[in-house]
Amino acid sequence: MVNDSRRGVVTGLGVLSSIGSDLETFWQGLLAGKSGIKRIGLFDPSELPCQIAGEMTDFDAKNFLEKKDRKQLRVMARTIQLAVACAQSAINNSKVDKSAINLTRFGVIFGAGMVAMELPETADAAAVCQMPERGKIDLKLWGTKGLEVIQPLWMLRYLPNMLACQVSILHDAQGPNNTITQDDVAGLLALGEALRIMRRDHADLLMVGGAESRVNPLSMTRQSLFLPLSTHNADPSKALRPFDSGRTGLVLGEGSGILLVEEIGHAKKRGAEIYAEVNGFGAAFNGTDQADAIERSIRIAMAQAGVSVDDVDHVNASGMGTEKEDRFEARGIAAAFKGSKDPIEVTTIKAHVGHLGGSSATVELASVALSLRHGVVPATLNYNSPDASCPVRVISGSPRPLRKPFVVKTSFTSAGQCAAAVLRRHDV
Amino acid sequence: MSRKYQRRIVITGMGVVTPLGDDIDTMFKALLEGRSGVGPIRNFDASTFPTNFAAEVHGFQLSSWIKDCSRWEHSGINSKFAAAAAKQALANSGLIEGMNSGKVDRNRFGVYLGSGEGIHDFHNLMWETANSYDPSTRKFDYAKFCKGGRESFHVGSEADQELHTTAMHLAAYFGLNGPNFNCLTACAASSQAIGEAMDLIRIGDCDMVLAGGSHSMIHPLGVTGFNLLTALSTNKANPQGASRPFDKERDGFVLGEGAGMLVLEELEHAKKRGANILAELTGYFSTADAFRVTDSHPEGRGAIACIDGALKDAGVTPSQIGYVNAHGTSTQVNDRVESLAVKHVFGEAAKHVPVSSIKSMMGHLIAAAGAVELITCVEAMRTGWLPPTINYEHPDPECDLDYIPNKARQSKALHCLSNSFGFGGQNTSLVVSAFTG
């Protein structure tokens, strides 16, 4: 049923992260075991229980864009700026000549979360309408005086689809355009969808990406209420510890990851450099036992790719760094690889960059593509005392060479939305 | 129709929550009667806003649909609308009982929603914002905000604002363990969700998908945002006449709210379990204008490619289309560009094809609009009646199609086109056809 003749390959990458805002620095940071997690400097976090994050302290989108494109940045929240900056990097990296491709077959599929409001933008309106009683705003005043002091395009700075739309506008990408909002798994679902779109012959080239800044006072305040965030503020780079029994909780971050996914014939015709092939994808849900959905996602992706358990070098895991999720993920992976000759090995880059929400999966996918390109697997950081309830072998200490041609990527949400993809080394 | 896909997709269940009724029969009857669901906003005090009216859902109680709705206790209204519409759609498809007795494979039953964002706790958010800000120096005290926010925000409702929660609740409650997606492409979202859901079945990843959308932006920040963009009608003198798609005097859209859900199913799977087949979903395409975040491309390049692509995907010609359910928002630009695009793709056939916008009656359900409009197309084919565009009084020379003015029309359509176009240049078109075996 799948049109197998239309195979997808990765022909361009862009990454913005707290360990590097260009591919080379990011990759060297992963190999060197660098952590971008530090005390928050973008705002004063002292009233938050978690005061650390994978922050990109010096990010300035202007440095990435051509001069003519910079004035659009005014209508973009930081998250959207991350997306457009990273998209420019990915396009540059792919060396695609936009004048030589059919732009109606150039799509953009993104993962995105809630775009956090920048509080000062409505502060004047709020101040005019604040009532003495706590939690009360005078709506009659808001409808008149409040509206007068908010920028006319205010709402467009925060619509989740503006990442993919602004990117499509900057690059004249007129093909299928979608924004998937499934939190940590959004970017991996976006990859699966892009693959389907390419196979059904509605596009030849797609930007698959995600961007999110969670280092925002509103975001951090809200998420501090319902996420098990680490309070290990004294030693930020050691706080996030996937699969380690000394876990301290989640650490948020910001960044963007974008992959150019291209039909292989199209890529070869233009002489593109190929990082990796994308061979299979699977997704599943389980609201109570995520291990089941992770296992099924992996099995579906591997069956689609025609790969056996012994062909897979390792799994690039989500590695949330919370007890329940780590155990679910490890059990799901172990079950999917039951019967393999050697126990399956797992690595994760979460501890390097943090939880990036809508951009987690694509930043991690970029690391997978780089692994397959360079033949090296980054080690998991902060893995010192294995959690015995996580039945997988974690790659730690130092990077190791890639030994087999396939890598499986898993991502999921704690709500039970899971996905997996199979990527392959491209042999020239 | 050409048969280029091995796996055909049929609709076997539908459900709605709309300003014109929270079941399909009530809604469709109101549409044929040409009733307006617009009135003064009751969700909050909007009396001084430039727009103080909308098409709201009144008297909605999730408990009338789902006995134990405890998991939605802290959910926003989007999520509750979605649950009620999903329950109707699954029951309509004969599945509530069937799933309990294990007749369908839950692992091959996915969810693909185009459901809107959660709604901020406006009063607490803005009060804490004001409390952390000194207007005279324009200094913002972030630490004070963090402290205040942590004290006043409600844990459960904040968690449920996250964009993946609506689809999660449906999957968890109804036991739908296949792929789980939500997309948010503004006003095109639920159409795009339905189209991608169809593709999940076509390629064999699923046998069934619960697809649709839900949304309400009738809240202080929603109306603020759209009023600032001057996208909403401000016809306070005549709220029920404010949504007037394709009429020369149109001055913006009217907000609506609600949800539409469909059960999409692979044809053989539906036949095997003896499901009642309501219609066949035959075509889908999506494009981007890649032009501006605020305006459609003036020559409608994205819309044209989208409509054309959907017809080709369905393997039907424009002259076979018996009804176009237009995006028809009642804004100057949308209605002009959409008419232009239909004429461009349909050519000679544009002179004869009936086109209407139900947004004239129930307002714009934003992310949920496309799903409810597709359901309307299915009902139009099933009953042989096409809903009108109400408030159509002053012809616009740039909008010169047959908009089914003001009165429903009896007409047998075998194939319908449903368009959805969103902010940012998002275009989605769907083709739905009478099931003929």
Side-chain angles (χ1 to χ4, degrees):
Chain A
M1 273 157 273
V2 173
N3 184 352
D4 289 322
S5 62
R6 291 183 60 79
R7 287 161 60 199
V9 291
V10 178
T11 57
L13 292 175
V15 174
L16 299 177
S17 76
S18 55
I19 60 165
S21 295
D22 63 87
L23 272 189
E24 189 54 26
T25 314
F26 169 69
W27 179 237
Q28 291 309 329
L30 290 182
L31 296 183
K34 195 173 143 191
S35 165
I37 292 162
K38 51 181 101 55
R39 185 176 170 83
I40 291 170
L42 288 172
F43 64 93
D44 176 2
S46 54
E47 291 290 345
L48 291 170
C50 175
Q51 299 164 12
I52 57 177
E55 176 181 288
M56 294 176 58
T57 312
D58 301 321
F59 171 70
D60 185 349
K62 286 201 289 294
N63 299 336
F64 294 82
L65 298 189
E66 290 173 38
K67 211 165 184 181
K68 66 174 172 56
D69 296 329
R70 288 180 196 160
K71 75 171 198 292
Q72 277 304 314
L73 292 169
R74 280 184 302 119
V75 294
M76 299 180 201
R78 184 174 174 93
T79 284
I80 303 173
Q81 295 193 357
L82 287 166
V84 296
C86 192
Q88 188 63 57
S89 301
I91 287 285
N92 297 347
N93 180 255
S94 75
K95 300 192 178 69
V96 66
D97 174 3
K98 284 184 273 172
S99 67
I101 61 169
N102 179 352
L103 295 166
T104 66
R105 292 176 59 83
F106 180 16
V108 181
I109 311 295
F110 261 58
M114 273 176 94
V115 180
M117 280 171 54
E118 281 155 28
L119 297 165
E121 297 200 344
T122 48
D124 284 308
V128 175
C129 308
Q130 187 187 25
M131 293 171 82
E133 189 189 336
R134 190 168 188 182
K136 286 267 185 296
I137 291 291
D138 184 335
L139 273 167
K140 283 197 169 64
L141 266 179
W142 182 275
T144 51
K145 300 276 182 243
L147 258 63
E148 283 171 16
V149 290
I150 305 175
Q151 289 295 313
L153 298 182
W154 168 77
M155 191 167 71
L156 295 179
R157 292 172 56 90
Y158 303 108
L159 295 180
N161 65 318
M162 284 301 147
L163 287 70
C165 288
Q166 294 285 12
V167 166
S168 76
I169 291 166
L170 283 175
H171 298 287
D172 205 12
Q174 299 167 39
N177 186 296
N178 204 3
T179 297
I180 293 165
T181 61
Q182 243 63 339
D183 205 38
D184 288 300
V185 72
L188 195 52
L189 294 173
L191 176 70
E193 184 157 305
L195 208 56
R196 276 196 288 109
I197 291 169
M198 211 199 64
R199 286 172 173 167
R200 73 177 183 241
D201 205 10
H202 286 188
D204 300 318
L205 177 65
L206 297 114
M207 272 202 249
V208 176
E212 189 161 351
S213 173
R214 293 182 156 190
V215 192
N216 164 294
L218 175 57
S219 230
M220 291 291 295
T221 300
R222 291 183 56 249
Q223 310 214 27
S224 74
L225 294 171
F226 58 81
L227 290 180
L229 299 182
S230 169
T231 54
H232 204 65
N233 299 319
D235 195 1
S237 68
K238 299 280 185 287
L240 186 46
R241 318 183 65 80
F243 305 114
D244 185 275
S245 60
R247 296 179 194 85
T248 72
L250 302 177
V251 181
L252 306 179
E254 56 181 350
S256 176
I258 296 180
L259 294 82
L260 266 283
V261 176
E262 190 165 359
E263 194 276 320
I264 190 165
H266 192 271
K268 284 187 171 165
K269 208 157 135 195
R270 68 173 185 91
E273 181 183 350
I274 295 174
Y275 286 88
E277 298 177 18
V278 190
N279 298 120
F281 171 79
F285 177 86
N286 193 313
T288 49
D289 176 13
Q290 284 103 308
D292 159 66
I294 290 165
E295 177 189 349
R296 281 189 289 122
S297 301
I298 297 171
R299 286 186 185 278
I300 295 164
M302 286 181 48
Q304 197 179 92
V307 174
S308 85
V309 289
D310 291 316
D311 298 330
V312 177
D313 184 83
H314 69 278
V315 175
N316 183 300
S318 183
M320 293 233 195
T322 49
E323 187 178 288
K324 182 173 139 259
E325 281 75 17
D326 279 356
R327 290 177 179 178
F328 273 132
E329 189 173 30
R331 279 207 291 114
I333 292 169
F337 284 90
K338 205 172 155 197
S340 62
K341 279 192 206 110
D342 308 306
I344 187 68
E345 295 194 37
V346 167
T347 195
T348 170
I349 66 162
K350 270 292 191 312
H352 295 77
V353 296
H355 289 79
L356 312 180
S359 55
S360 265
T362 49
V363 169
E364 290 159 20
L365 278 164
S367 81
V368 171
L370 288 166
S371 267
L372 289 164
R373 175 93 186 119
H374 297 299
V376 184
V377 186
T380 305
L381 270 186
N382 299 331
Y383 184 71
N384 302 358
S385 44
D387 175 354
S389 301
C390 293
V392 287
R393 189 183 285 175
V394 175
I395 299 168
S396 64
S398 51
R400 72 147 169 83
L402 188 82
R403 299 174 189 130
K404 297 175 187 174
F406 291 93
V407 174
V408 169
K409 170 81 199 100
T410 52
S411 291
F412 67 110
T413 69
S414 52
Q417 294 136 332
C418 307
V422 176
L423 287 86
R424 185 190 200 280
R425 185 177 67 209
H426 181 70
D427 300 310
V428 186
Chain B
M1 247 192 324
S2 68
R3 293 267 184 249
K4 60 176 169 173
Y5 297 101
Q6 291 171 27
R7 285 166 67 88
R8 292 166 63 191
I9 286 70
V10 291
I11 297 164
T12 58
M14 306 193 295
V16 293
V17 174
T18 75
L20 293 173
D22 51 9
D23 66 89
I24 286 175
D25 290 343
T26 310
M27 173 194 85
F28 197 69
K29 186 164 175 281
L31 290 175
L32 294 186
E33 287 167 0
R35 271 182 28 216
S36 170
V38 180
I41 290 176
R42 294 195 218 162
N43 286 358
F44 66 98
D45 180 358
S47 55
T48 65
F49 280 61
T51 301
N52 58 6
F53 54 88
E56 291 179 328
V57 172
H58 292 140
F60 173 81
Q61 290 283 348
L62 183 55
S63 55
S64 14
W65 300 101
I66 291 174
K67 226 180 262 166
D68 176 14
C69 47
S70 53
R71 67 161 43 250
W72 286 279
E73 187 186 350
H74 302 300
S75 296
I77 195 72
N78 288 337
S79 211
K80 291 178 181 169
F81 286 159
K87 175 72 188 287
Q88 292 171 43
L90 292 166
N92 184 221
S93 192
L95 280 168
I96 295 295
E97 221 176 292
M99 286 202 294
N100 291 342
S101 60
K103 274 186 205 154
V104 301
D105 182 354
R106 291 159 187 275
N107 290 349
R108 292 183 54 80
F109 198 149
V111 176
Y112 204 134
L113 302 187
S115 190
E117 68 292 320
I119 297 168
H120 274 301
D121 178 356
F122 174 81
H123 285 275
N124 280 317
L125 172 58
M126 289 305 155
W127 198 92
E128 299 301 338
T129 297
N131 205 43
S132 315
Y133 178 65
D134 179 351
S136 60
T137 60
R138 301 186 69 89
K139 281 246 178 334
F140 201 96
D141 184 343
Y142 289 110
K144 195 171 179 187
F145 177 85
C146 294
K147 184 170 187 288
R150 283 179 50 78
E151 286 165 7
S152 62
F153 295 166
H154 184 278
V155 184
S157 61
E158 293 297 327
D160 233 76
Q161 283 173 28
E162 296 291 301
L163 304 178
H164 64 297
T165 54
T166 302
M168 173 274 285
H169 282 307
L170 297 189
Y173 183 81
F174 295 110
L176 312 178
N177 287 346
N180 188 285
F181 285 77
N182 188 76
C183 70
L184 201 35
T185 48
C187 322
S190 57
S191 288
Q192 195 152 354
I194 291 164
E196 293 299 335
M198 170 164 78
D199 199 46
L200 283 175
I201 303 175
R202 272 182 179 167
I203 67 156
D205 279 8
C206 298
D207 296 324
M208 307 182 78
V209 181
L210 177 68
S214 63
H215 211 171
S216 176
M217 290 190 82
I218 310 175
H219 54 78
L221 288 178
V223 177
T224 295
F226 284 126
N227 264 157
L228 289 169
L229 288 169
T230 65
L232 294 181
S233 168
T234 54
N235 190 353
K236 287 184 174 184
N238 182 14
Q240 296 216 328
S243 183
R244 41 198 321 112
F246 307 109
D247 182 283
K248 199 168 192 313
E249 313 269 286
R250 64 192 185 272
D251 76 327
F253 72 84
V254 174
L255 275 168
E257 60 182 352
M261 292 287 163
L262 300 97
V263 175
L264 307 185
E265 186 164 1
E266 195 272 323
L267 173 61
E268 296 307 319
H269 189 273
K271 279 185 181 166
K272 212 186 242 170
R273 69 175 185 93
N276 183 24
I277 294 173
L278 304 170
E280 181 173 2
L281 190 58
T282 49
Y284 161 61
F285 210 78
S286 85
T287 66
D289 272 4
F291 178 64
R292 281 188 197 151
V293 286
T294 43
D295 306 315
S296 320
H297 186 271
E299 274 99 50
R301 70 173 181 190
I304 289 169
C306 183
I307 295 170
D308 186 51
L311 295 181
K312 289 195 170 113
D313 191 46
V316 300
T317 60
S319 61
Q320 288 177 283
I321 296 288
Y323 171 57
V324 177
N325 186 296
H327 187 55
T329 54
S330 179
T331 62
Q332 280 294 330
V333 177
N334 175 82
D335 296 358
R336 184 180 61 74
V337 173
E338 186 173 11
S339 298
L340 188 77
V342 169
K343 283 190 280 185
H344 188 279
V345 178
F346 277 59
E348 192 62 22
K351 288 184 185 150
H352 314 291
V353 70
V355 178
S356 74
S357 169
I358 62 167
K359 291 188 179 79
S360 59
M361 294 171 273
M362 67 165 75
H364 191 340
L365 275 55
I366 312 292
V372 172
E373 288 161 14
L374 187 73
I375 288 168
T376 299
C377 290
V378 174
E379 286 304 289
M381 288 191 294
R382 281 159 50 80
T383 59
W385 280 91
L386 307 180
T389 304
I390 67 163
N391 300 319
Y392 186 83
E393 293 172 332
H394 314 92
D396 175 348
E398 295 198 276
C399 299
D400 53 352
L401 300 172
D402 170 7
Y403 299 110
I404 319 179
N406 304 315
K407 270 200 156 33
R409 184 184 302 166
Q410 198 162 17
S411 175
K412 192 84 198 146
L414 293 178
H415 304 280
C416 302
L417 171 73
S418 182
N419 292 330
S420 300
F421 306 132
F423 269 113
Q426 315 260 195
N427 310 301
T428 295
S429 292
L430 294 166
V431 178
V432 62
S433 306
F435 179 68
T436 49

